[in-house]
Amino acid sequence: MSEDFDLGAFLPYRLNRAAELVSLRFAAQYRARYQMTRPEWRALAALGFHGRMTATEIGAHSTMHKTKVSRAVKALETRRWLRRIEDRNDRRTEHLELTALGLRSYRDLAKMAQDYEGELASLLGAGGLKQLERGLTALEDAMLSGTGDRQPNSQSKPVAKHGER
Amino acid sequence: MSEDFDLGAFLPYRLNRAAELVSLRFAAQYRARYQMTRPEWRALAALGFHGRMTATEIGAHSTMHKTKVSRAVKALETRRWLRRIEDRNDRRTEHLELTALGLRSYRDLAKMAQDYEGELASLLGAGGLKQLERGLTALEDAMLSGTGDRQPNSQSKPVAKHGER
DNA sequence: TCGTAACGGTTGATTTTGCAACTATCAAGA
DNA sequence: TCTTGATAGTTGCAAAATCAACCGTTACGA
């Protein structure tokens, strides 16, 4: 059966699995506490951590598609956790900023995140954690700078479907 | 703003990002070549690699929800890439097996996967790869054995037999 | 040998996503 | 000024993921 391809060792497979295991557990926490979705938490975290930023910046930062960001922002706005501030020089963009309410929630969630991180760290042990972090750093560097953009077209027959324009 | 929580270093965040970057690029390949979805590729890979197995086993292995597996299997069956084999002792379960056609596609895809893995490895460098792998192993061990909790499945199973490696 | 609970798997409804097309704005030329 | 082409962000819609209920079957204790 197995020829020489080892599925269990295949990096995308392992990474996905790991990411799922790690983030689902945390997602369950903020979901239970605030009924918030993952994109919402991500946007909130970005804003809380970096302070005022635009939707596009949030997207770039958290690798979320702009529609996801748009909807997450709308949801947070509805909760009155953030407000939009227009740019005087460019009326297309809007700067986003957490309200006091939003900031409070952010702090609470950041605390939870830290706790969770500590939990993970102790589960992993110092050695495992360090290796994982280094490995991830290497990967990030490789993926982002190594090949420039993110259009996947290395080898393989393209059967381009949509696309023109 | 930032207090002491560092979003950019938050493990779930980094892992998700990494997993996305790595698997999306590969997903684009098999999608372009065979018009197949991620669950389909996963099911195919599991079957191709492990040989005959049941839908539940596939799910346990690839951490896919049973409905996802069910639909992926149906799709693969429609393509005539797999066949169902009934169990003589238990008429609820069905064993799944790739057809010759399915096996051929699996081999082709496994080849692509290997190529991709090689590409990743060279991007990462020997050191980075090794660290990432070790870190992932540590994480897997920690998450799976460290705390018995499993996914939020309505019908959870008693600790899947992860003969994994 | 019932009755009940659990299991393997499927289906339909609901929610979430991703893509494409759209609005509105800006910027640079001709 | 009038085009043409980007850019920021939103929205409609179709594909995909999730959830809950379901069917037929099996396991097991009373």
Side-chain angles (χ1 to χ4, degrees):
Chain A
M1 248 119 256
S2 39
E3 355 281 306
D4 38 22
F5 167 61
D6 184 351
L7 176 61
F10 189 45
L11 214 51
Y13 174 86
R14 294 186 76 185
L15 273 172
N16 262 303
R17 196 180 154 87
E20 220 163 282
L21 283 171
V22 163
S23 65
L24 246 55
R25 187 186 296 218
F26 183 59
Q29 290 185 36
Y30 56 71
R31 213 169 108 197
R33 195 174 182 83
Y34 286 113
Q35 263 78 30
M36 69 194 310
T37 67
R38 227 175 50 140
E40 286 165 40
W41 149 247
R42 281 196 184 195
L44 180 77
L47 280 172
F49 184 64
H50 295 289
R52 177 189 296 197
M53 60 199 300
T54 70
T56 302
E57 288 168 338
I58 294 177
H61 234 286
S62 47
T63 31
M64 284 200 288
H65 191 81
K66 60 180 183 170
T67 63
K68 237 193 226 173
V69 175
S70 172
R71 290 188 247 250
V73 164
K74 196 200 281 180
L76 293 177
E77 190 188 23
T78 304
R79 279 178 199 238
R80 310 203 185 286
W81 282 8
L82 69 76
R83 74 175 71 86
R84 301 172 196 247
I85 293 158
E86 61 182 48
D87 184 317
R88 244 180 274 298
N89 305 322
D90 185 342
R91 272 185 295 174
R92 288 171 304 180
T93 75
E94 41 193 18
H95 303 272
L96 306 168
E97 197 174 68
L98 294 187
T99 61
L101 194 60
L103 200 52
R104 200 153 68 229
S105 307
Y106 165 71
R107 290 218 175 90
D108 181 40
L109 284 163
K111 178 85 175 47
M112 286 173 60
Q114 276 181 285
D115 290 348
Y116 182 57
E117 200 159 41
E119 197 187 318
L120 280 179
S122 82
L123 268 169
L124 273 170
L129 181 62
K130 181 140 263 167
Q131 290 199 313
L132 186 55
E133 284 177 340
R134 287 204 183 130
L136 283 173
T137 302
L139 185 64
E140 283 156 8
D141 291 350
M143 295 300 282
L144 295 178
S145 65
T147 58
D149 78 317
R150 324 167 44 204
Q151 274 316 78
N153 252 350
S154 318
Q155 71 248 153
S156 96
K157 275 59 168 333
V159 182
K161 15 179 24 176
H162 37 256
E164 53 268 73
R165 179 198 145 66
Chain B
M1 282 285 150
S2 40
E3 358 278 305
D4 38 21
F5 167 61
D6 184 353
L7 176 60
F10 190 45
L11 212 53
Y13 174 85
R14 294 187 76 186
L15 272 171
N16 263 302
R17 193 182 155 87
E20 223 162 279
L21 284 171
V22 163
S23 65
L24 245 55
R25 186 185 296 221
F26 183 59
Q29 290 186 32
Y30 56 71
R31 211 170 113 195
R33 197 175 179 82
Y34 286 115
Q35 265 78 28
M36 69 194 308
T37 67
R38 227 174 52 137
E40 286 163 40
W41 149 248
R42 283 196 183 194
L44 180 76
L47 280 171
F49 184 64
H50 295 288
R52 177 188 296 197
M53 60 199 300
T54 70
T56 302
E57 287 168 339
I58 293 177
H61 234 286
S62 46
T63 30
M64 283 201 288
H65 190 84
K66 60 181 184 169
T67 63
K68 241 193 230 173
V69 175
S70 172
R71 283 171 172 129
V73 164
K74 196 202 280 179
L76 294 177
E77 190 187 24
T78 304
R79 279 178 200 241
R80 309 202 186 287
W81 282 8
L82 69 74
R83 75 176 71 88
R84 301 172 195 248
I85 293 157
E86 62 182 45
D87 185 318
R88 242 180 276 297
N89 305 322
D90 186 341
R91 272 185 294 174
R92 289 172 304 180
T93 76
E94 40 194 19
H95 303 273
L96 306 168
E97 196 175 69
L98 294 188
T99 61
L101 194 59
L103 200 51
R104 201 151 67 227
S105 308
Y106 165 71
R107 291 218 174 91
D108 181 41
L109 285 162
K111 178 84 174 46
M112 287 174 60
Q114 278 181 287
D115 290 348
Y116 182 56
E117 201 159 42
E119 197 187 318
L120 280 179
S122 81
L123 269 168
L124 273 170
L129 181 63
K130 184 135 260 168
Q131 291 197 312
L132 185 56
E133 283 177 339
R134 287 205 182 129
L136 283 173
T137 301
L139 186 64
E140 283 155 8
D141 290 350
M143 296 300 284
L144 294 178
S145 63
T147 61
D149 276 45
R150 302 279 299 146
Q151 269 180 267
N153 256 353
S154 22
Q155 296 148 349
S156 59
K157 77 180 74 279
V159 177
K161 64 286 135 151
H162 50 290
E164 209 131 336
R165 19 112 47 181

